[in-house]
Amino acid sequence: MDFLQPTSWADALAARAERPDAVPIAGGTDVMVDLNFDRRRPGALLDLGRVAELREWTVDGGAGGGGTVRLGAGVPYARIIDDLAAQLPGLAMASRTVGSPQIRVRGTVGGNLGSASPAGDAHPPLLAADAVIEVESAARGTRRIPASEFYTGVKRSALAGDELIAAILVPAAAGPQQYCKVGTRNAMVIAVSAFACALHPDRRAVGTGIGSAAPTPRRAPEAEAFLAGELESAGLWDSRGELPDTLARAFGERVAAAASPIDDVRGSAAYRRHSLSVMARRAAMWAWAQYQHDRKAA
Ligand SMILES: Cc1cc2nc3c(=O)[nH]c(=O)nc-3n(C[C@H](O)[C@H](O)[C@H](O)COP(=O)(O)OP(=O)(O)OC[C@H]3O[C@@H](n4cnc5c(N)ncnc54)[C@H](O)[C@@H]3O)c2cc1C
């Protein structure tokens, strides 16, 4: 097996084009498991670890002050937790649940997207925040794919064979975000089900992301429109009021209805649906309480 080690983004793209048999490797926390279990035998590994651009993040100002975070695909979870919890609270919460400290130091969001597992923890907060995945090939240049269009099947994505993931563009949070994950224990666990929500008070919208309860990570568009519509029509965005329990429950039911879970070793379809409705209700309540707290403090 060849080991390709480009030191610039241009060289990495050239190598990707020249060696279709090469598997990119970032933190290696998925790739090395596959190699060790002989699930993959690539002709080459394309190590992205020396491409400095992939390990950087920047925040562009943006008219409203919030701006957009451009998160290099090779930024590990540990740095998101340490450096970006204020701008990307949902992704930081999800990052804290990934594996163990060792995995969080090595593992990257680009790698989570590359694997595109329905259980990947980065996906629900990226969906809820309306993130966009920036991919690039030597032949066709850059394309930007909304997270909601990135996942195309179980462990499949819209990434073409000659493309690499350059970065993830995530709007900095304009309101509270939450991430909930159900597993069989508190750490080192693949999600049985997971849910992310984001309140976007700037545009009076609600974002959602469902994990481990459908062939791909997905949003719950009807639940989003329902909650945003109810908050608007009841004048709640401008009130000091609590989120009515009936509204949070109805939101949870709509989130659960958007899932299409399966029975497997980790959990039953019925449990996944039920747990989603509970997580979505709680996440909405917590996010709303945070929204009101922040408004009082402002
Ligand atoms: C013990 C253990 C616990 C884990 N726990 C969790 C968990 O709790 N939650 C969770 O979500 N995951 C978990 N994982 C899985 C893994 O850590 C994550 O999916 C992680 O995000 C992978 O990132 P990586 O940088 O290590 O990816 P790699 O293993 O380097 O790559 C993963 C895939 O992405 C591709 N890839 C990587 N970078 C790029 C790029 N820039 N462009 C194109 N393709 C690219 C690779 O070719 C490969 O197909 C765990 C893994 C282990 C071993």
Side-chain angles (χ1 to χ4, degrees), residues 23-31 33 40 48 73 77 97-99 103 106-108 110-112 114-115 120-121 159 164-165 181 188-189:
V23 167
I25 179 166
T29 59
D30 278 327
V31 170
V33 175
R40 272 178 168 187
L48 301 173
Y77 296 108
T97 77
V98 173
I103 297 294
R106 294 291 311 170
T108 65
N112 216 229
S115 294
D121 283 305
L159 191 70
L164 290 172
I165 302 166
K181 170 176 175 178
M188 288 286 279
V189 72

Side-chain angles (χ1 to χ4, degrees), residues 135-148:
V135 304
E136 192 169 342
S137 67
R140 297 180 310 286
T142 300
R143 32 190 205 124
R144 289 184 170 178
I145 309 168
S148 55

